[in-house]
Amino acid sequence: MTAYTSDEMMTVAAARRLPNGAVCFVGIGLPSAACNLARLTHAPDLVLIYESGTVGTRPSVLPLRIGEGDLAETARSVIPLPEIFTHYLQSGRVDVGFLGGAQIDRFGNLNSTVIGSYDAPKVRLPGAGGAPEIAMHVKELLIVMKQSARTFVERLDFRTTAGFLEGGDARARAGLPGGGPRAVITDFGEMTPDPVTRELVLGGIFDGVTADEARAACGWPLRVAGTVTRIAPPTNTELQTLRDLQERTRAAHARRVRITLPT
């Protein structure tokens, strides 16, 4: 079997969760790679929306920024950002959204604002951006994060984005319309919310990983499902398609940034 990295496994696992024809709100980085991998393999009719206003884009390479020209050139339409949020997101027309953060808690709430106290933080992070709106309105939210006890924490330093709030029916009682986190994909495996308590439960692990290792890399006592699924490694098609996409991306961006130095 061809060797692969944890980033490649996370990308493939995220891509597999995207059904053909779904409307996806895409971010830069691994979510973009996952969505485009899905589009190039099992989900050719995936509709990708980037926050820059590109709808139905089909880029040949992965964007480094949401304002990349290739996103606009290959899109079905380009519309103003406010309409992305009002017409698509807030109207319930987005099936899947991707998010990450600096911290996550057991109910899928995210922090991307500060590490430490808000008034005197150790680290000031980029902030909310569109994440609270995405998490509030998408039919299902996929969270992709590298896992450690520093990022998967008992208590967030700041709650930027709502998952299931305090668990149970707290999200519904707060009137949040979307479906909340459907899965958290890490470099160890996948967590999904308990249908009653909404606490994240380890239900699948990647090859070479044990449930005990995943629990040790979590800042709260991570629950483990009664039956833990061993997630299949990337197929040759998935891996080759992803690597071809990334190689095209490297080559394209290298040409764009190349400059001629004076002699």
Side-chain angles (χ1 to χ4, degrees), residues 35-105:
C35 287
N36 282 285
L37 173 61
R39 180 177 63 82
L40 293 169
T41 51
H42 68 276
D45 299 319
L46 205 60
V47 179
L48 306 186
I49 300 177
Y50 285 79
E51 199 171 335
S52 53
T54 55
V55 178
T57 185
R58 304 177 69 83
S60 58
V61 300
L62 298 175
L64 297 181
R65 302 171 298 275
I66 59 172
E68 292 284 352
D70 195 40
L71 293 178
E73 291 167 4
T74 61
R76 294 179 186 172
S77 61
V78 181
I79 64 177
L81 180 59
E83 292 187 25
I84 288 289
F85 280 83
T86 58
H87 180 72
Y88 285 94
L89 191 58
Q90 294 170 355
S91 299
R93 292 184 169 93
V94 179
D95 298 310
V96 182
F98 277 94
L99 289 179
Q103 293 178 329
I104 185 172
D105 68 14

Side-chain angles (χ1 to χ4, degrees), residues 184-197:
V184 179
I185 300 167
T186 77
D187 44 340
F188 289 85
E190 296 182 354
M191 303 176 191
T192 54
D194 180 276
V196 177
T197 68

Side-chain angles (χ1 to χ4, degrees), residues 143-159:
I143 298 170
V144 185
M145 293 176 61
K146 291 286 186 73
Q147 184 182 335
S148 73
R150 293 178 61 189
T151 55
F152 283 60
V153 296
E154 182 73 45
R155 182 179 178 83
L156 299 178
D157 291 345
F158 186 93
R159 184 191 289 170

Side-chain angles (χ1 to χ4, degrees), residues 110-199:
L110 295 168
N111 171 25
S112 58
T113 302
V114 294
I115 301 298
S117 71
Y118 184 83
D119 293 328
K122 297 176 183 177
V123 180
R124 180 75 66 181
L125 299 167
E133 289 286 330
I134 294 168
M136 182 184 299
H137 292 285
V138 293
K139 295 175 184 176
E140 61 179 70
L141 181 66
L142 297 180
I143 298 170
V144 185
M145 293 176 61
K146 291 286 186 73
Q147 184 182 335
S148 73
R150 293 178 61 189
T151 55
F152 283 60
V153 296
E154 182 73 45
R155 182 179 178 83
L156 299 178
D157 291 345
F158 186 93
R159 184 191 289 170
T160 308
T161 301
F164 290 109
L165 299 175
E166 290 77 33
D169 65 350
R171 182 183 174 96
R173 286 189 285 107
L176 304 185
R182 177 62 58 88
V184 179
I185 300 167
T186 77
D187 44 340
F188 289 85
E190 296 182 354
M191 303 176 191
T192 54
D194 180 276
V196 177
T197 68
R198 300 301 186 184
E199 181 176 347

